[in-house]
Amino acid sequence: MTLEPTALVRAQRLDLSIGGRRILAHVDLSIGPGEIITLIGPNGAGKSTLVRVLLGLMRPDHGTVVRRAGLRVGYLPQKFVIDAVLPLSVSRLMTLTRKAALAEIEAALAETGVAHLMGAQVQTLSGGELQRVLLARALLSNPDLLVLDEPVQGVDFGGQAELYQLISAIRQRHGCAILMVSHDLHLVMAATDRVLCLNQHLCCAGTPAMVARDPEYLRLFGPRAAEAFALYAHGPHGHDHVHTLSGDVAPIDPAHESHRHDH
Amino acid sequence: MWPPLILRMKVTGMITDFFARALIAGVGVALVAGPAGCFIVWRRMAYFGDTMAHSALLGVALGLLLGVDPILGVLAVTIVLALILAGMGGSRTLASDTVLGILSHSALSLGMVALSLMRGIRLDLMVYLFGDLLSVGMTDIYLVLGGGAASLVLLAGLWRPLLAMTVHEELARAEGVRVDAVRAGFMLLIAFLIAAAMKITGALLITSLLLIPAACARRFANGPEVMAVLAALFGAVAVTGGLYGSLYFDTPAGPSIVLAALLLFLCSLMFGHRQSRN
């Protein structure tokens, strides 16, 4: 967090209430170039709201958000549903906010492994296909910051692991910063530099391993969270297997997915 | 009104000037209404178009009251209304079909009451609803062609950001689209289009030309731009078919055009492919 002087986005003392309900309290956050930040927290913790404030889609009651001048943002919203009344092919979706040459579109789709879907109608895509297409679309504008709001929702467990690997690979190749939201505490990905644990205020922050041992985190999510939390926490170099916190190698096993909490 | 004129034309068997003028004006409106109507359909703003058209009567009354061309009155009222609605676009508790309904019928009633209070003015409801296509003069032609060309240029400029925010408004905003300005621009475009076309097409015909060709085009389109071009073509076909139909069957021009558009729509249901699954 010595990245302050060149921060892409810096938020200070954010407060926000909606309809008398406190959503964000005294949130400080800065995103440095090239870092991957994962925002976790229980349902209703204000994660999506914080993202919307950082993107300038909502105004906080108090506090400031400063985005670096000329910052290019690629955004994957939590919900992306296209009405059947609008005919839209994948290739047209790619140039939604910016023009791009056909070769660039093909390259971006190939990078996320969905080049074959170029001519498909967007409404016919599966959840995983749509996320990959949206990732490719975001990459096309060569963003400084990728904002992914629950990028693995609607994707099966094996697909989730692949998607996280793809996101790591994208950071390595493009050097963009990534801010990712996850409500599923167990699926914090491998290459995350910092985990921010939000519950109206920022309870704790640090590397995945640090946060997993943080008393605030354990109080909020319970001791069992720590073991499952480590599922993807296998360091910055990217493996194709996963570790538990104790360092044991564990297969990617759908059974782990059932370690969910209720809040 | 038109029946005697049509009768005369049938007797001579000639396509006279007024028919050519009606054709040019009607097709001109349809070419703009098709692409603009696609956005009305995609953004579920059918009732917005309706409200604009209904408020036009208030504009006519205003124009007569101030002693200026009714078109200027219509333009003023539709622009003010568009700006009010665009300003409310951000707040979800207010912008709804209920508000549109209140505005639409209040403006219509206010217009009718105002007209009834003016001496020597009798409202021809048929003209208000369906326009007076067959009495189109050269001035109207210039207005339609000039205004239509200007509208198409504006729509082309708005196209990419407007489509982006139609697909996902927050995504567009996050990536730098000035959503409020684009929305206001599109509403003003519709206001302008309705004002320019009001005398020619009337309140009902203009909303038909916005909605029906776009609905026809959906079945044949695999992309938004294709749908816009097809909607313009279908609109032009409906106007042409409707006008020749009215000539042949001796029926009123405006309703004949709406029925021709309906016929096209029914054909599109039969022959078009469903594009949502392929």
Side-chain angles (χ1 to χ4, degrees), chain A residues 52 55-58 73-75 77 79-89 92-93 95-99 121 123-124 137, chain B residues 41-42 44 159-161 163-164 166-168 170-175 177 218 221-225 227 274-278:
Chain A
R52 287 157 52 84
L55 287 172
L57 300 175
M58 277 176 102
V73 174
Y75 177 40
K79 279 195 199 118
F80 192 89
V81 181
I82 294 182
D83 203 304
V85 79
L86 175 64
L88 193 68
S89 67
R92 182 62 183 84
L93 174 65
T95 56
L96 199 60
T97 52
R98 279 174 193 81
K99 284 183 192 167
Q121 290 284 304
Q123 290 92 342
T124 66
R137 194 201 66 83
Chain B
V41 169
W42 295 331
R44 302 182 179 277
W159 190 271
R160 186 179 302 274
L163 187 71
T166 300
V167 168
H168 201 290
E170 294 217 316
L171 181 97
R173 265 180 76 193
E175 297 189 3
V177 172
R218 172 62 187 100
N222 57 9
E225 288 77 17
M227 183 162 153
R274 273 194 61 84
Q275 293 281 351
S276 58
R277 288 253 152 217
N278 51 351

Short mmCIF file of all heavy atoms in Angstrom, two decimals, chain A residues 52 55-58 73-75 77 79-89 92-93 95-99 121 123-124 137, chain B residues 41-42 44 159-161 163-164 166-168 170-175 177 218 221-225 227 274-278:
data_model
loop_
_atom_site.label_atom_id
_atom_site.label_comp_id
_atom_site.label_asym_id
_atom_site.label_seq_id
_atom_site.Cartn_x
_atom_site.Cartn_y
_atom_site.Cartn_z
N ARG A 52 -19.84 0.78 -7.03
CA ARG A 52 -20.56 1.81 -7.79
C ARG A 52 -20.08 3.21 -7.43
O ARG A 52 -19.98 4.10 -8.28
CB ARG A 52 -22.06 1.68 -7.56
CG ARG A 52 -22.66 0.46 -8.28
CD ARG A 52 -23.95 0.00 -7.64
NE ARG A 52 -24.89 1.10 -7.49
CZ ARG A 52 -25.71 1.52 -8.46
NH1 ARG A 52 -25.72 0.89 -9.59
NH2 ARG A 52 -26.49 2.54 -8.28
N LEU A 55 -16.73 3.76 -9.10
CA LEU A 55 -16.87 3.96 -10.54
C LEU A 55 -17.53 5.30 -10.88
O LEU A 55 -17.63 5.68 -12.03
CB LEU A 55 -17.72 2.84 -11.15
CG LEU A 55 -17.05 1.47 -11.28
CD1 LEU A 55 -18.06 0.42 -11.71
CD2 LEU A 55 -15.90 1.54 -12.26
N GLY A 56 -18.02 5.99 -9.85
CA GLY A 56 -18.69 7.27 -10.11
C GLY A 56 -20.15 7.12 -10.49
O GLY A 56 -20.76 8.04 -10.99
N LEU A 57 -20.71 5.93 -10.26
CA LEU A 57 -22.12 5.71 -10.60
C LEU A 57 -23.03 6.18 -9.47
O LEU A 57 -24.23 6.38 -9.67
CB LEU A 57 -22.38 4.22 -10.86
CG LEU A 57 -21.59 3.59 -12.00
CD1 LEU A 57 -21.84 2.10 -12.09
CD2 LEU A 57 -21.93 4.26 -13.31
N MET A 58 -22.45 6.32 -8.27
CA MET A 58 -23.22 6.81 -7.12
C MET A 58 -22.36 7.82 -6.40
O MET A 58 -21.14 7.72 -6.40
CB MET A 58 -23.52 5.68 -6.15
CG MET A 58 -24.72 4.84 -6.50
SD MET A 58 -24.85 3.51 -5.30
CE MET A 58 -26.13 4.16 -4.27
N VAL A 73 -11.51 2.40 -17.67
CA VAL A 73 -12.10 1.38 -16.83
C VAL A 73 -12.84 0.36 -17.68
O VAL A 73 -13.56 0.73 -18.61
CB VAL A 73 -13.10 2.02 -15.83
CG1 VAL A 73 -13.83 0.94 -15.05
CG2 VAL A 73 -12.39 2.96 -14.89
N GLY A 74 -12.62 -0.91 -17.41
CA GLY A 74 -13.44 -1.96 -18.01
C GLY A 74 -14.32 -2.53 -16.90
O GLY A 74 -13.82 -2.83 -15.83
N TYR A 75 -15.59 -2.65 -17.16
CA TYR A 75 -16.52 -2.99 -16.08
C TYR A 75 -17.35 -4.21 -16.48
O TYR A 75 -17.92 -4.27 -17.55
CB TYR A 75 -17.41 -1.77 -15.81
CG TYR A 75 -18.50 -1.94 -14.78
CD1 TYR A 75 -18.29 -2.64 -13.60
CD2 TYR A 75 -19.75 -1.35 -14.97
CE1 TYR A 75 -19.29 -2.76 -12.65
CE2 TYR A 75 -20.76 -1.46 -14.03
CZ TYR A 75 -20.52 -2.16 -12.87
OH TYR A 75 -21.52 -2.28 -11.94
N PRO A 77 -20.54 -5.76 -15.01
CA PRO A 77 -21.58 -5.58 -13.99
C PRO A 77 -22.06 -6.92 -13.46
O PRO A 77 -21.87 -7.97 -14.07
CB PRO A 77 -22.68 -4.84 -14.72
CG PRO A 77 -22.44 -5.07 -16.17
CD PRO A 77 -20.99 -5.40 -16.35
N LYS A 79 -25.18 -7.88 -12.98
CA LYS A 79 -26.27 -8.41 -13.79
C LYS A 79 -26.10 -7.91 -15.21
O LYS A 79 -25.88 -6.74 -15.45
CB LYS A 79 -27.62 -7.91 -13.26
CG LYS A 79 -28.11 -8.69 -12.08
CD LYS A 79 -29.58 -8.39 -11.83
CE LYS A 79 -29.97 -8.80 -10.42
NZ LYS A 79 -30.42 -7.66 -9.62
N PHE A 80 -26.19 -8.81 -16.16
CA PHE A 80 -26.10 -8.41 -17.55
C PHE A 80 -27.11 -9.23 -18.34
O PHE A 80 -26.83 -10.34 -18.75
CB PHE A 80 -24.68 -8.62 -18.09
CG PHE A 80 -24.44 -7.97 -19.41
CD1 PHE A 80 -24.00 -6.66 -19.48
CD2 PHE A 80 -24.68 -8.65 -20.59
CE1 PHE A 80 -23.79 -6.04 -20.70
CE2 PHE A 80 -24.48 -8.04 -21.82
CZ PHE A 80 -24.02 -6.74 -21.87
N VAL A 81 -28.29 -8.68 -18.51
CA VAL A 81 -29.35 -9.38 -19.21
C VAL A 81 -29.76 -8.54 -20.41
O VAL A 81 -30.01 -7.35 -20.26
CB VAL A 81 -30.57 -9.60 -18.30
CG1 VAL A 81 -31.65 -10.36 -19.04
CG2 VAL A 81 -30.17 -10.33 -17.04
N ILE A 82 -29.77 -9.15 -21.58
CA ILE A 82 -30.19 -8.41 -22.76
C ILE A 82 -31.54 -8.92 -23.21
O ILE A 82 -31.74 -10.11 -23.40
CB ILE A 82 -29.16 -8.53 -23.89
CG1 ILE A 82 -27.87 -7.83 -23.44
CG2 ILE A 82 -29.67 -7.87 -25.15
CD1 ILE A 82 -26.81 -7.84 -24.48
N ASP A 83 -32.45 -7.98 -23.33
CA ASP A 83 -33.80 -8.26 -23.75
C ASP A 83 -33.81 -8.89 -25.15
O ASP A 83 -33.04 -8.49 -26.01
CB ASP A 83 -34.56 -6.94 -23.78
CG ASP A 83 -36.04 -7.15 -23.65
OD1 ASP A 83 -36.59 -7.90 -24.48
OD2 ASP A 83 -36.64 -6.59 -22.72
N ALA A 84 -34.68 -9.87 -25.35
CA ALA A 84 -34.74 -10.53 -26.66
C ALA A 84 -35.18 -9.59 -27.77
O ALA A 84 -34.98 -9.89 -28.95
CB ALA A 84 -35.70 -11.73 -26.59
N VAL A 85 -35.75 -8.44 -27.40
CA VAL A 85 -36.24 -7.52 -28.43
C VAL A 85 -35.08 -6.82 -29.14
O VAL A 85 -35.24 -6.28 -30.23
CB VAL A 85 -37.22 -6.50 -27.81
CG1 VAL A 85 -36.48 -5.39 -27.08
CG2 VAL A 85 -38.11 -5.90 -28.88
N LEU A 86 -33.89 -6.86 -28.52
CA LEU A 86 -32.72 -6.22 -29.14
C LEU A 86 -31.81 -7.28 -29.76
O LEU A 86 -31.20 -8.06 -29.04
CB LEU A 86 -31.95 -5.42 -28.09
CG LEU A 86 -30.64 -4.78 -28.54
CD1 LEU A 86 -30.89 -3.73 -29.62
CD2 LEU A 86 -29.93 -4.15 -27.37
N PRO A 87 -31.75 -7.34 -31.09
CA PRO A 87 -30.84 -8.31 -31.71
C PRO A 87 -29.40 -7.85 -31.52
O PRO A 87 -29.07 -6.71 -31.83
CB PRO A 87 -31.23 -8.26 -33.19
CG PRO A 87 -31.83 -6.92 -33.40
CD PRO A 87 -32.41 -6.47 -32.09
N LEU A 88 -28.56 -8.70 -30.96
CA LEU A 88 -27.19 -8.28 -30.67
C LEU A 88 -26.27 -9.48 -30.76
O LEU A 88 -26.41 -10.44 -30.02
CB LEU A 88 -27.12 -7.67 -29.27
CG LEU A 88 -25.86 -6.89 -28.92
CD1 LEU A 88 -25.77 -5.61 -29.73
CD2 LEU A 88 -25.81 -6.57 -27.44
N SER A 89 -25.32 -9.42 -31.68
CA SER A 89 -24.36 -10.50 -31.79
C SER A 89 -23.17 -10.21 -30.88
O SER A 89 -22.97 -9.08 -30.45
CB SER A 89 -23.87 -10.62 -33.24
OG SER A 89 -23.13 -9.49 -33.59
N ARG A 92 -20.92 -7.50 -32.21
CA ARG A 92 -21.44 -6.14 -32.03
C ARG A 92 -21.33 -5.69 -30.58
O ARG A 92 -21.05 -4.52 -30.30
CB ARG A 92 -22.90 -6.05 -32.52
CG ARG A 92 -23.52 -4.67 -32.43
CD ARG A 92 -22.78 -3.67 -33.30
NE ARG A 92 -23.30 -2.31 -33.19
CZ ARG A 92 -22.94 -1.45 -32.25
NH1 ARG A 92 -22.08 -1.82 -31.32
NH2 ARG A 92 -23.43 -0.23 -32.21
N LEU A 93 -21.55 -6.62 -29.67
CA LEU A 93 -21.41 -6.30 -28.24
C LEU A 93 -20.00 -5.82 -27.93
O LEU A 93 -19.79 -4.95 -27.09
CB LEU A 93 -21.76 -7.53 -27.39
CG LEU A 93 -21.53 -7.42 -25.88
CD1 LEU A 93 -22.46 -6.39 -25.26
CD2 LEU A 93 -21.72 -8.76 -25.20
N THR A 95 -18.08 -3.96 -29.57
CA THR A 95 -17.81 -2.57 -29.92
C THR A 95 -18.90 -1.65 -29.35
O THR A 95 -19.21 -0.62 -29.91
CB THR A 95 -17.75 -2.39 -31.44
OG1 THR A 95 -18.98 -2.87 -32.01
CG2 THR A 95 -16.60 -3.15 -32.04
N LEU A 96 -19.42 -2.04 -28.19
CA LEU A 96 -20.54 -1.30 -27.62
C LEU A 96 -20.20 0.16 -27.33
O LEU A 96 -20.95 1.06 -27.70
CB LEU A 96 -20.99 -2.00 -26.34
CG LEU A 96 -22.39 -1.66 -25.85
CD1 LEU A 96 -23.42 -2.02 -26.88
CD2 LEU A 96 -22.67 -2.40 -24.55
N THR A 97 -19.09 0.40 -26.64
CA THR A 97 -18.76 1.78 -26.29
C THR A 97 -17.60 2.34 -27.11
O THR A 97 -17.34 3.53 -27.06
CB THR A 97 -18.41 1.92 -24.80
OG1 THR A 97 -17.42 0.94 -24.47
CG2 THR A 97 -19.63 1.67 -23.93
N ARG A 98 -16.90 1.47 -27.81
CA ARG A 98 -15.76 1.95 -28.61
C ARG A 98 -15.68 1.17 -29.92
O ARG A 98 -16.04 0.01 -29.96
CB ARG A 98 -14.44 1.72 -27.87
CG ARG A 98 -14.15 2.77 -26.85
CD ARG A 98 -12.89 2.40 -26.07
NE ARG A 98 -12.79 3.22 -24.89
CZ ARG A 98 -13.45 2.98 -23.75
NH1 ARG A 98 -14.21 1.93 -23.64
NH2 ARG A 98 -13.33 3.78 -22.71
N LYS A 99 -15.16 1.84 -30.96
CA LYS A 99 -14.95 1.12 -32.21
C LYS A 99 -13.73 0.21 -32.07
O LYS A 99 -12.84 0.48 -31.26
CB LYS A 99 -14.68 2.12 -33.33
CG LYS A 99 -15.93 2.83 -33.81
CD LYS A 99 -15.59 3.74 -34.97
CE LYS A 99 -16.76 4.66 -35.27
NZ LYS A 99 -16.42 5.75 -36.14
N GLN A 121 -25.69 -14.90 -31.12
CA GLN A 121 -26.50 -13.87 -30.46
C GLN A 121 -26.23 -13.93 -28.95
O GLN A 121 -26.13 -15.01 -28.37
CB GLN A 121 -27.98 -14.10 -30.74
CG GLN A 121 -28.39 -13.82 -32.18
CD GLN A 121 -28.48 -12.33 -32.51
OE1 GLN A 121 -29.19 -11.59 -31.86
NE2 GLN A 121 -27.73 -11.90 -33.52
N GLN A 123 -28.01 -13.37 -26.41
CA GLN A 123 -29.04 -14.01 -25.58
C GLN A 123 -28.90 -15.52 -25.50
O GLN A 123 -29.49 -16.15 -24.63
CB GLN A 123 -30.45 -13.67 -26.11
CG GLN A 123 -30.87 -12.23 -25.92
CD GLN A 123 -30.50 -11.38 -27.12
OE1 GLN A 123 -29.67 -11.75 -27.93
NE2 GLN A 123 -31.12 -10.21 -27.22
N THR A 124 -28.12 -16.12 -26.43
CA THR A 124 -28.02 -17.57 -26.45
C THR A 124 -26.84 -18.09 -25.64
O THR A 124 -26.64 -19.30 -25.53
CB THR A 124 -27.86 -18.09 -27.90
OG1 THR A 124 -26.60 -17.64 -28.40
CG2 THR A 124 -28.97 -17.59 -28.80
N ARG A 137 -14.57 -8.11 -24.01
CA ARG A 137 -15.04 -6.78 -24.37
C ARG A 137 -14.34 -5.71 -23.54
O ARG A 137 -13.91 -4.67 -24.03
CB ARG A 137 -16.55 -6.68 -24.16
CG ARG A 137 -17.21 -5.49 -24.79
CD ARG A 137 -18.53 -5.17 -24.14
NE ARG A 137 -18.33 -4.73 -22.78
CZ ARG A 137 -18.02 -3.47 -22.45
NH1 ARG A 137 -17.92 -2.56 -23.38
NH2 ARG A 137 -17.80 -3.15 -21.20
N VAL B 41 -38.72 0.96 -29.15
CA VAL B 41 -39.05 -0.44 -28.87
C VAL B 41 -38.03 -1.07 -27.90
O VAL B 41 -38.40 -1.69 -26.91
CB VAL B 41 -39.12 -1.25 -30.18
CG1 VAL B 41 -39.18 -2.74 -29.92
CG2 VAL B 41 -40.34 -0.82 -31.00
N TRP B 42 -36.74 -0.86 -28.18
CA TRP B 42 -35.70 -1.46 -27.34
C TRP B 42 -35.74 -0.93 -25.93
O TRP B 42 -35.50 -1.65 -24.97
CB TRP B 42 -34.31 -1.19 -27.92
CG TRP B 42 -34.05 -1.82 -29.24
CD1 TRP B 42 -34.60 -2.98 -29.70
CD2 TRP B 42 -33.18 -1.35 -30.27
NE1 TRP B 42 -34.12 -3.25 -30.96
CE2 TRP B 42 -33.24 -2.28 -31.33
CE3 TRP B 42 -32.34 -0.24 -30.41
CZ2 TRP B 42 -32.51 -2.13 -32.50
CZ3 TRP B 42 -31.61 -0.10 -31.57
CH2 TRP B 42 -31.69 -1.03 -32.62
N ARG B 44 -38.30 0.34 -24.42
CA ARG B 44 -39.66 0.26 -23.87
C ARG B 44 -40.22 1.64 -23.57
O ARG B 44 -40.64 1.94 -22.46
CB ARG B 44 -39.67 -0.60 -22.60
CG ARG B 44 -39.15 -1.99 -22.89
CD ARG B 44 -39.19 -2.88 -21.67
NE ARG B 44 -38.69 -4.20 -22.03
CZ ARG B 44 -39.42 -5.15 -22.59
NH1 ARG B 44 -40.69 -4.93 -22.85
NH2 ARG B 44 -38.89 -6.31 -22.89
N TRP B 159 -25.92 7.36 -31.91
CA TRP B 159 -26.17 5.93 -32.05
C TRP B 159 -25.39 5.06 -31.07
O TRP B 159 -25.97 4.30 -30.29
CB TRP B 159 -25.91 5.48 -33.49
CG TRP B 159 -26.38 4.08 -33.71
CD1 TRP B 159 -25.67 2.93 -33.51
CD2 TRP B 159 -27.69 3.68 -34.10
NE1 TRP B 159 -26.46 1.84 -33.78
CE2 TRP B 159 -27.69 2.26 -34.14
CE3 TRP B 159 -28.87 4.37 -34.42
CZ2 TRP B 159 -28.84 1.54 -34.48
CZ3 TRP B 159 -29.98 3.64 -34.77
CH2 TRP B 159 -29.95 2.24 -34.79
N ARG B 160 -24.05 5.17 -31.10
CA ARG B 160 -23.25 4.24 -30.31
C ARG B 160 -23.49 4.42 -28.81
O ARG B 160 -23.80 3.44 -28.12
CB ARG B 160 -21.76 4.37 -30.64
CG ARG B 160 -20.89 3.33 -29.94
CD ARG B 160 -19.43 3.47 -30.32
NE ARG B 160 -19.23 3.37 -31.75
CZ ARG B 160 -19.07 2.20 -32.39
NH1 ARG B 160 -19.05 1.09 -31.71
NH2 ARG B 160 -18.91 2.17 -33.68
N PRO B 161 -23.40 5.64 -28.27
CA PRO B 161 -23.67 5.78 -26.83
C PRO B 161 -25.10 5.40 -26.46
O PRO B 161 -25.33 4.79 -25.40
CB PRO B 161 -23.40 7.27 -26.55
CG PRO B 161 -23.35 7.94 -27.87
CD PRO B 161 -22.92 6.91 -28.86
N LEU B 163 -27.06 3.22 -27.93
CA LEU B 163 -27.19 1.76 -27.94
C LEU B 163 -26.49 1.16 -26.71
O LEU B 163 -27.01 0.24 -26.07
CB LEU B 163 -26.60 1.17 -29.22
CG LEU B 163 -26.84 -0.33 -29.38
CD1 LEU B 163 -28.30 -0.60 -29.68
CD2 LEU B 163 -25.96 -0.92 -30.45
N ALA B 164 -25.32 1.71 -26.38
CA ALA B 164 -24.58 1.20 -25.22
C ALA B 164 -25.43 1.32 -23.96
O ALA B 164 -25.52 0.39 -23.17
CB ALA B 164 -23.26 1.95 -25.06
N THR B 166 -28.61 1.54 -23.82
CA THR B 166 -29.79 0.70 -23.95
C THR B 166 -29.46 -0.73 -23.52
O THR B 166 -30.26 -1.39 -22.88
CB THR B 166 -30.31 0.72 -25.40
OG1 THR B 166 -30.63 2.06 -25.76
CG2 THR B 166 -31.52 -0.16 -25.57
N VAL B 167 -28.26 -1.17 -23.87
CA VAL B 167 -27.83 -2.52 -23.48
C VAL B 167 -27.58 -2.59 -21.97
O VAL B 167 -28.06 -3.50 -21.29
CB VAL B 167 -26.55 -2.92 -24.25
CG1 VAL B 167 -25.93 -4.16 -23.66
CG2 VAL B 167 -26.88 -3.15 -25.72
N HIS B 168 -26.84 -1.63 -21.43
CA HIS B 168 -26.57 -1.62 -19.99
C HIS B 168 -26.17 -0.22 -19.57
O HIS B 168 -25.07 0.23 -19.85
CB HIS B 168 -25.45 -2.61 -19.65
CG HIS B 168 -25.45 -3.03 -18.22
ND1 HIS B 168 -25.11 -2.18 -17.20
CD2 HIS B 168 -25.79 -4.20 -17.63
CE1 HIS B 168 -25.21 -2.82 -16.04
NE2 HIS B 168 -25.62 -4.04 -16.28
N GLU B 170 -25.49 1.28 -16.65
CA GLU B 170 -24.38 1.51 -15.72
C GLU B 170 -23.05 1.20 -16.37
O GLU B 170 -22.06 1.89 -16.13
CB GLU B 170 -24.56 0.63 -14.48
CG GLU B 170 -25.77 1.02 -13.67
CD GLU B 170 -25.50 0.88 -12.19
OE1 GLU B 170 -24.91 -0.15 -11.83
OE2 GLU B 170 -25.86 1.78 -11.43
N LEU B 171 -23.03 0.16 -17.20
CA LEU B 171 -21.81 -0.17 -17.93
C LEU B 171 -21.41 1.00 -18.81
O LEU B 171 -20.25 1.42 -18.83
CB LEU B 171 -22.06 -1.41 -18.79
CG LEU B 171 -20.87 -1.89 -19.59
CD1 LEU B 171 -20.17 -2.99 -18.84
CD2 LEU B 171 -21.29 -2.39 -20.95
N ALA B 172 -22.38 1.56 -19.52
CA ALA B 172 -22.09 2.70 -20.39
C ALA B 172 -21.55 3.87 -19.57
O ALA B 172 -20.57 4.50 -19.95
CB ALA B 172 -23.36 3.09 -21.15
N ARG B 173 -22.19 4.13 -18.42
CA ARG B 173 -21.74 5.25 -17.58
C ARG B 173 -20.34 5.01 -17.06
O ARG B 173 -19.50 5.90 -17.07
CB ARG B 173 -22.69 5.42 -16.39
CG ARG B 173 -23.76 6.44 -16.63
CD ARG B 173 -24.66 6.56 -15.43
NE ARG B 173 -24.06 7.30 -14.34
CZ ARG B 173 -24.55 7.32 -13.11
NH1 ARG B 173 -25.63 6.63 -12.83
NH2 ARG B 173 -23.96 8.02 -12.18
N ALA B 174 -20.08 3.77 -16.60
CA ALA B 174 -18.77 3.46 -16.04
C ALA B 174 -17.69 3.63 -17.10
O ALA B 174 -16.55 3.94 -16.77
CB ALA B 174 -18.75 2.04 -15.49
N GLU B 175 -18.04 3.43 -18.36
CA GLU B 175 -17.04 3.54 -19.42
C GLU B 175 -17.10 4.88 -20.13
O GLU B 175 -16.61 5.03 -21.24
CB GLU B 175 -17.19 2.36 -20.38
CG GLU B 175 -16.91 1.06 -19.64
CD GLU B 175 -16.83 -0.16 -20.53
OE1 GLU B 175 -16.93 -0.03 -21.75
OE2 GLU B 175 -16.65 -1.26 -19.96
N VAL B 177 -19.79 7.05 -21.00
CA VAL B 177 -20.91 7.61 -21.77
C VAL B 177 -21.65 8.61 -20.90
O VAL B 177 -21.95 8.34 -19.74
CB VAL B 177 -21.87 6.49 -22.21
CG1 VAL B 177 -23.13 7.09 -22.84
CG2 VAL B 177 -21.18 5.56 -23.19
N ARG B 218 -37.74 -6.67 -36.26
CA ARG B 218 -37.06 -7.51 -35.28
C ARG B 218 -36.85 -8.93 -35.77
O ARG B 218 -35.81 -9.54 -35.58
CB ARG B 218 -37.84 -7.51 -33.96
CG ARG B 218 -37.31 -8.51 -32.92
CD ARG B 218 -35.88 -8.16 -32.53
NE ARG B 218 -35.24 -9.15 -31.67
CZ ARG B 218 -34.38 -10.07 -32.10
NH1 ARG B 218 -34.10 -10.16 -33.39
NH2 ARG B 218 -33.82 -10.90 -31.26
N ALA B 221 -33.87 -9.27 -38.27
CA ALA B 221 -32.59 -8.62 -37.99
C ALA B 221 -31.73 -9.46 -37.07
O ALA B 221 -32.23 -10.10 -36.15
CB ALA B 221 -32.84 -7.25 -37.36
N ASN B 222 -30.40 -9.46 -37.32
CA ASN B 222 -29.49 -10.12 -36.40
C ASN B 222 -28.57 -9.11 -35.72
O ASN B 222 -27.66 -9.48 -35.00
CB ASN B 222 -28.67 -11.20 -37.10
CG ASN B 222 -27.90 -10.63 -38.27
OD1 ASN B 222 -27.85 -9.41 -38.44
ND2 ASN B 222 -27.29 -11.49 -39.07
N GLY B 223 -28.84 -7.83 -35.96
CA GLY B 223 -28.06 -6.78 -35.31
C GLY B 223 -28.87 -5.51 -35.26
O GLY B 223 -29.82 -5.35 -36.03
N PRO B 224 -28.53 -4.60 -34.35
CA PRO B 224 -29.32 -3.38 -34.18
C PRO B 224 -29.33 -2.50 -35.43
O PRO B 224 -30.37 -1.92 -35.77
CB PRO B 224 -28.65 -2.66 -33.00
CG PRO B 224 -27.35 -3.34 -32.79
CD PRO B 224 -27.45 -4.72 -33.34
N GLU B 225 -28.19 -2.42 -36.11
CA GLU B 225 -28.13 -1.54 -37.29
C GLU B 225 -28.99 -2.10 -38.42
O GLU B 225 -29.69 -1.36 -39.11
CB GLU B 225 -26.68 -1.37 -37.76
CG GLU B 225 -25.83 -0.49 -36.84
CD GLU B 225 -25.36 -1.20 -35.57
OE1 GLU B 225 -25.41 -2.45 -35.54
OE2 GLU B 225 -24.97 -0.52 -34.61
N MET B 227 -31.59 -3.92 -38.01
CA MET B 227 -32.99 -3.72 -37.62
C MET B 227 -33.44 -2.29 -37.94
O MET B 227 -34.56 -2.07 -38.40
CB MET B 227 -33.15 -4.03 -36.13
CG MET B 227 -34.58 -3.92 -35.63
SD MET B 227 -34.80 -4.78 -34.06
CE MET B 227 -36.17 -3.88 -33.35
N ARG B 274 -37.30 -16.56 -35.88
CA ARG B 274 -37.02 -16.16 -34.51
C ARG B 274 -35.52 -16.08 -34.35
O ARG B 274 -34.80 -17.03 -34.63
CB ARG B 274 -37.61 -17.18 -33.54
CG ARG B 274 -39.06 -16.89 -33.19
CD ARG B 274 -39.48 -17.70 -32.01
NE ARG B 274 -38.68 -17.37 -30.85
CZ ARG B 274 -38.94 -16.35 -30.05
NH1 ARG B 274 -39.94 -15.57 -30.29
NH2 ARG B 274 -38.16 -16.11 -29.02
N GLN B 275 -35.04 -14.92 -33.89
CA GLN B 275 -33.60 -14.73 -33.82
C GLN B 275 -33.05 -14.97 -32.41
O GLN B 275 -31.86 -15.01 -32.21
CB GLN B 275 -33.24 -13.30 -34.24
CG GLN B 275 -33.51 -13.03 -35.71
CD GLN B 275 -32.45 -13.59 -36.60
OE1 GLN B 275 -31.41 -14.04 -36.14
NE2 GLN B 275 -32.71 -13.62 -37.89
N SER B 276 -33.94 -15.11 -31.43
CA SER B 276 -33.42 -15.14 -30.07
C SER B 276 -32.73 -16.48 -29.76
O SER B 276 -31.95 -16.59 -28.85
CB SER B 276 -34.54 -14.87 -29.07
OG SER B 276 -35.56 -15.82 -29.23
N ARG B 277 -33.03 -17.50 -30.56
CA ARG B 277 -32.32 -18.79 -30.41
C ARG B 277 -31.83 -19.22 -31.78
O ARG B 277 -32.60 -19.23 -32.72
CB ARG B 277 -33.25 -19.87 -29.86
CG ARG B 277 -33.61 -19.70 -28.41
CD ARG B 277 -32.89 -20.74 -27.58
NE ARG B 277 -32.67 -20.22 -26.24
CZ ARG B 277 -31.58 -20.44 -25.53
NH1 ARG B 277 -30.62 -21.17 -26.01
NH2 ARG B 277 -31.44 -19.94 -24.33
N ASN B 278 -30.58 -19.52 -31.89
CA ASN B 278 -30.13 -20.04 -33.18
C ASN B 278 -29.08 -21.11 -33.02
O ASN B 278 -28.80 -21.54 -31.93
CB ASN B 278 -29.61 -18.92 -34.09
CG ASN B 278 -28.59 -18.07 -33.39
OD1 ASN B 278 -28.39 -18.21 -32.19
ND2 ASN B 278 -27.92 -17.20 -34.10
#
